[in-house]
C-alpha cells in the first residue's frame, strides 16, 4: 500500500469516527518520486547562486508540471515566489518575485468566477485592506510610500493562485501531502549539507546576512565548522508538520533529517513554533499532555547540555551558548532584574533595543490606537520619525527611521496601533471561521500558530510575503479538497 492510498483511507475526517486512533502509515515513496523535486530544488539553488541559466530549469519544470502534475506546480511556484533560503526575492530579478505573485493573484481574483466560499474570502480580504488603508490615513507619511510596506501585509491574496491552477482538475489532500514531503525533506538535507558537511552557502545560498555566495565565487569554509543557517527555508517546511503530526509516521532517517535540519537554524523561536504545532495538533488530549511533559523534560536536558558546551563570543561583546538554547532562555532573567532601559535592551538578542525607543516615539505622538503608519526604513524622511537609538551597541548604525522591529506583533502595533492589531488578528480568525467545518481546517490553524511563534523572533509572522504565501497555500488546499462539498467542480473562468 502506498502512503497516499493509506492516508486516503485514514484521513477523511479530523478524527476516527469510532474514537479509536488508526495506525498511521509510514511515508515511503520510490526513489524516482524524489528526482523531480531534487531537480527543481537544485535549479533553485543555482538560481540563488546567480547562475541565471538555471532559470530555464525552473521554467521547464513549470511547463512540465502545468501539463502533467499541478501538485508540483503549486509547490514549485510558491517556492519561487517566496525564495525560501534559495534567493532574496528583492534581488533576483528587476521585479521582485513576491510582487510577481501579488500581481498574478490580483489578475486571477478579477478574471475567475468565484463560488460562494471564495466570495466570502474576497469580502474578508477587501474589508481587511480597507481597514489598513483607513488606518494609514492617520499617518503623517504619504500613502505612496506607505504602500511599499503595506503590500507585505496583503500577500494573503495568494490564496487564489493554487485554486485557479487546479480549476477543472481533481485535487486530493493526501496526494498533495505526498507530493509536498520530498521537497520539504530535501530542504532539510540541503540545510544539513550546507551547515555541517561543507560549511558553506551552496545548496541554500541565502541563509546568512554576512556574505554573498555565487556560482563563480562560492562561500565555503570547509568541513570541521558548523554554520548557523537562517531559517527562511523552514517557513516552507512548516507545511509538512501538520500531516506528519496527524497522518504519517516518519522513518528514522526521515526524522533525523528533519530534526537536524531544523537544529542547524539555531533559531529558538522557530524551533518553539515547530514544537507548538507538533504538540497542540495531536489527535488526542492525552497525547498533547504527554508531549507537553516530554517537551519540558527535553528542554531541561538540552539546557543542561548547552550549559556545559563552550560559549561563543560574537561581535560587540555578545556572548551566546553553543546551541543558543541556554542563552535564549537566560535572557528572560533580564526582565526580572532590569533596572533601566539599557538592561532591558539586552532582552531578546537585543531586540528590545530596537523596540523601546520606537515605542517611545509612538507613545510621545499619542498614536497608540492608530500607529505611526507603514513607515519605510529608507524612503521615510519625516524628521520626527528619525531617531538616534542610544541603546544600540553599534553606534555607527544608530540613526534610523522608527519603521522596523524584529518582533512581528510589535511591528503591527507600530504600524497600525491597537485598533489595527485587533483587526489584524480578527481577520485571520475570520478566515478560519469561513472554512471551520471543512475537513483539514486544522491545517490552517496549525500553520498560522507556527507562523505567529516565528514572528516573536522577527521571522515573518503574519505580515510578510514568505510566510503569508505558505499560509495561503495551506488555506487553498483545504478549499480545493472540499470543492464537491462546497458546490463547485468545473472550470470557472469568466465567459
Amino acid at each position: 500500500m502506498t502512503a497516499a492510498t493509506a492516508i486516503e483511507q485514514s484521513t477523511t475526517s479530523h478524527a476516527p469516527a469510532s474514537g479509536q486512533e488508526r495506525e498511521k502509515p509510514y511515508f515511503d515513496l520510490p526513489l524516482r518520486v524524489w528526482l523531480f523535486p531534487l531537480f527543481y530544488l537544485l535549479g533553485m539553488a543555482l538560481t540563488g547562486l546567480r547562475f541565471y541559466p538555471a532559470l530555464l530549469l525552473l521554467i521547464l519544470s513549470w511547463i512540465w508540471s502545468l501539463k502533467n502534475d499541478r501538485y508540483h506546480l503549486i509547490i514549485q511556484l510558491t517556492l519561487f515566489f517566496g525564495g525560501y533560503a534559495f534567493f532574496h526575492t528583492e534581488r533576483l530579478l528587476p521585479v521582485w518575485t513576491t510582487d510577481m505573485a501579488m500581481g498574478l493573484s490580483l489578475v486571477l481574483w478579477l478574471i475567475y468566477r468565484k463560488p460562494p466560499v471564495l466570495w466570502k474570502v474576497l469580502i474578508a480580504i477587501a474589508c481587511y485592506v480597507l481597514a489598513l488603508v483607513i488606518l494609514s490615513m492617520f499617518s503623517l507619511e504619504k500613502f505612496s510610500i506607505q504602500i511599499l510596506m503595506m503590500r507585505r501585509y496583503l500577500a494573503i491574496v495568494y490564496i487564489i493562485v493554487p485554486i485557479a491552477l487546479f480549476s477543472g482538475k481533481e485535487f486530493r489532500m493526501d496526494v498533495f501531502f505526498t507530493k509536498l514531503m520530498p521537497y520539504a525533506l530535501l530542504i532539510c538535507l540541503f540545510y544539513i549539507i550546507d551547515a555541517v558537511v561543507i560549511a558553506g552557502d551552496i545548496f541554500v545560498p541565502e541563509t546568512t546576512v554576512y556574505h554573498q555566495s555565487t556560482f563563480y565565487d562560492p562561500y565555503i569554509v570547509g568541513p570541521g565548522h558548523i554554520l548557523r543557517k537562517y531559517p527562511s527555508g523552514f517557513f516552507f517546511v512548516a507545511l509538512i508538520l501538520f500531516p506528519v503530526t496527524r497522518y504519517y509516521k516518519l522513518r528514522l532517517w526521515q526524522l533525523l533529517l528533519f530534526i537536524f535540519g531544523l537544529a542547524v537554524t539555531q533559531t529558538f523561536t522557530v524551533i518553539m513554533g515547530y514544537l507548538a504545532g507538533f504538540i497542540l495538533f495531536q489527535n488526542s488530549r492525552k497525547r498533547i499532555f504527554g508531549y507537553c511533559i516530554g517537551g519540558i523534560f527535553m528542554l531541561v536536558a538540552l539546557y543542561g547540555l548547552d550549559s556545559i558546551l563552550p560559549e561563543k563570543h560574537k561581535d560587540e561583546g555578545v556572548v551566546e551558548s553553543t546551541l543558543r538554547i541556554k542563552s535564549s532562555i537566560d535572557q528572560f532573567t533580564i526582565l526580572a532584574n532590569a533596572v533601566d532601559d539599557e538592561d532591558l535592551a539586552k532582552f531578546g538578542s537585543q531586540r528590545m533595543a530596537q523596540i523601546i525607543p520606537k515605542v517611545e516615539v509612538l507613545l510621545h505622538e499619542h498614536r497608540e490606537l492608530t500607529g505611526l503608519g507603514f513607515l519605510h526604513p529608507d524612503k521615510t524622511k519625516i524628521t520626527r520619525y528619525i531617531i538616534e537609538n542610544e541603546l544600540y551597541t553599534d553606534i555607527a548604525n544608530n540613526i534610523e527611521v522608527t519603521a522596523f522591529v524584529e518582533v512581528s506583533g510589535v511591528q503591527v502595533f507600530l504600524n497600525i496601533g491597537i485598533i489595527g492589531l485587533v483587526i489584524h488578528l480578527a481577520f485571520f480568525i475570520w478566515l478560519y471561521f469561513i472554512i471551520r467545518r471543512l475537513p483539514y481546517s486544522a491545517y490552517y490553524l496549525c500553520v498560522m500558530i507556527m507562523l505567529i511563534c516565528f514572528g516573536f523572533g522577527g521571522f515573518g509572522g503574519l505580515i510578510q510575503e514568505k510566510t503569508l504565501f505558505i499560509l495561503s497555500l495551506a488555506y487553498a488546499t483545504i478549499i480545493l479538497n472540499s470543492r464537491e462539498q462546497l458546490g463547485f467542480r468545473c472550470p470557472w473562468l469568466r465567459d
Side-chain angles (χ1 to χ4, degrees):
M1 181 185 296
T2 66
T5 304
I7 289 178
E8 181 183 11
Q9 295 174 359
S10 63
T11 62
T12 55
S13 63
H14 296 289
S18 65
Q20 298 296 318
E21 189 172 345
R22 302 192 184 199
E23 183 70 15
K24 296 190 291 186
Y26 282 104
F27 173 71
D28 289 324
L29 291 174
L31 178 62
R32 58 181 174 81
V33 174
W34 296 76
L35 296 180
F36 188 40
L38 178 62
F39 172 84
Y40 186 79
L41 292 178
L42 288 175
M44 289 280 291
L46 286 170
T47 302
L49 291 169
R50 303 302 188 267
F51 184 70
Y52 291 106
L55 282 169
L56 181 61
L57 301 180
L58 305 186
I59 294 170
L60 291 174
S61 297
W62 301 336
I63 293 172
W64 185 91
S65 299
L66 180 64
K67 292 182 177 179
N68 299 284
D69 195 324
R70 300 288 176 89
Y71 295 98
H72 282 293
L73 184 61
I74 61 175
I75 293 168
Q76 291 169 354
L77 286 178
T78 303
L79 280 165
F80 176 76
F81 289 140
Y84 302 107
F86 293 99
F87 51 76
H88 282 297
T89 59
E90 302 93 339
R91 303 176 190 171
L92 180 67
L93 299 170
V95 178
W96 292 12
T97 59
T98 50
D99 285 347
M100 294 166 62
M102 298 279 281
L104 175 61
S105 302
L106 293 176
V107 169
L108 290 174
W109 278 112
L110 289 172
I111 69 173
Y112 270 74
R113 181 179 296 133
K114 291 163 280 294
V117 66
L118 286 184
W119 274 114
K120 293 178 183 178
V121 172
L122 182 58
I123 291 170
I125 292 174
C127 291
Y128 179 60
V129 173
L130 179 62
L132 295 185
V133 170
I134 291 173
L135 288 168
S136 72
M137 295 172 66
F138 289 92
S139 174
L140 300 179
E141 185 57 276
K142 296 181 293 185
F143 184 76
S144 59
I145 290 178
Q146 291 193 69
I147 190 62
L148 298 175
M149 303 304 293
M150 185 194 300
R151 63 181 175 176
R152 298 181 182 275
Y153 282 64
L154 307 181
I156 196 70
V157 296
Y158 186 71
I159 287 170
I160 192 65
V161 174
I163 293 175
L165 290 176
F166 265 91
S167 181
K169 300 289 183 179
E170 181 187 16
F171 182 93
R172 287 167 38 198
M173 187 68 90
D174 58 302
V175 178
F176 171 70
F177 288 154
T178 60
K179 302 286 185 178
L180 177 67
M181 197 69 73
Y183 290 92
L185 290 179
L186 285 169
I187 290 173
C188 295
L189 176 63
F190 284 6
Y191 262 79
I192 294 170
I193 293 173
D194 260 14
V196 180
V197 179
I198 64 174
D201 299 323
I202 304 300
F203 289 90
V204 277
E206 297 293 350
T207 47
T208 177
V209 297
Y210 301 111
H211 34 72
Q212 174 66 60
S213 184
T214 68
F215 184 77
Y216 298 105
D217 184 21
Y219 180 82
I220 300 176
V221 179
H225 299 80
I226 298 178
L227 297 186
R228 182 193 177 190
K229 309 296 289 181
Y230 275 68
S232 57
F234 276 85
F235 302 165
F236 184 84
V237 176
L239 287 167
I240 71 163
L241 186 76
F242 181 76
V244 166
T245 300
R246 287 284 181 96
Y247 309 127
Y248 288 100
K249 288 190 293 187
L250 294 180
R251 298 291 181 184
L252 179 61
W253 66 269
Q254 296 167 342
L255 183 61
L256 291 177
L257 271 185
F258 176 76
I259 290 174
F260 283 110
L262 182 59
V264 298
T265 68
Q266 299 181 45
T267 306
F268 187 72
T269 51
V270 171
I271 293 171
M272 293 306 295
Y274 271 88
L275 286 175
F278 178 74
I279 292 171
L280 294 176
F281 289 89
Q282 293 292 327
N283 275 322
S284 68
R285 292 186 180 89
K286 182 178 179 181
R287 279 196 168 194
I288 293 173
F289 179 76
Y291 279 120
C292 282
I293 300 299
I296 292 171
F297 279 108
M298 182 179 70
L299 191 60
V300 170
L302 289 173
Y303 181 91
L305 174 63
D306 206 14
S307 299
I308 62 177
L309 293 174
E311 293 180 328
K312 298 182 293 186
H313 293 267
K314 304 184 70 177
D315 296 337
E316 302 162 9
V318 177
V319 179
E320 289 184 345
S321 57
T322 299
L323 302 179
R324 300 185 77 246
I325 295 174
K326 179 180 183 298
S327 54
S328 296
I329 294 175
D330 285 352
Q331 292 182 74
F332 286 93
T333 61
I334 295 173
L335 294 177
N337 300 325
V339 296
D340 55 25
D341 284 352
E342 290 188 4
D343 288 338
L344 192 58
K346 299 174 184 176
F347 178 71
S349 299
Q350 299 196 357
R351 286 181 175 85
M352 286 299 290
Q354 297 175 348
I355 292 172
I356 292 170
K358 294 169 187 175
V359 170
E360 285 178 349
V361 171
L362 182 142
L363 297 177
H364 183 265
E365 295 281 316
H366 303 293
R367 294 182 179 273
E368 300 94 326
L369 293 180
T370 59
L372 298 174
F374 298 91
L375 305 182
H376 195 284
D378 299 317
K379 297 182 182 298
T380 291
K381 304 300 181 183
I382 301 172
T383 305
R384 64 203 296 176
Y385 293 154
I386 299 175
I387 62 173
E388 181 179 355
N389 194 333
E390 297 178 350
L391 298 179
Y392 285 161
T393 55
D394 183 6
I395 60 174
N397 297 305
N398 67 347
I399 305 297
E400 61 178 348
V401 177
T402 311
F404 175 74
V405 294
E406 292 185 46
V407 178
S408 298
V410 179
Q411 183 69 60
V412 176
F413 176 56
L414 285 174
N415 290 151
I416 48 180
I418 295 172
I419 293 174
L421 184 58
V422 171
I423 291 172
H424 177 72
L425 293 174
F427 167 67
F428 287 98
I429 295 171
W430 184 5
L431 287 181
Y432 171 71
F433 270 85
I434 293 172
I435 60 166
R436 69 189 184 280
R437 300 187 187 279
L438 300 181
Y440 300 100
S441 61
Y443 188 27
Y444 168 79
L445 277 184
C446 180
V447 175
M448 182 177 71
I449 288 173
M450 292 175 69
L451 298 184
I452 290 172
C453 292
F454 297 173
F456 287 119
F459 295 104
L462 301 177
I463 60 172
Q464 291 184 16
E465 304 97 320
K466 288 180 187 292
T467 43
L468 289 175
F469 285 163
I470 67 161
L471 187 63
S472 298
L473 180 57
Y475 196 89
T477 59
I478 296 165
I479 292 176
L480 284 170
N481 186 71
S482 298
R483 279 185 300 184
E484 189 168 335
Q485 176 181 340
L486 293 167
F488 68 103
R489 300 178 59 186
C490 330
W492 27 283
L493 186 65
R494 287 191 183 279
D495 298 327

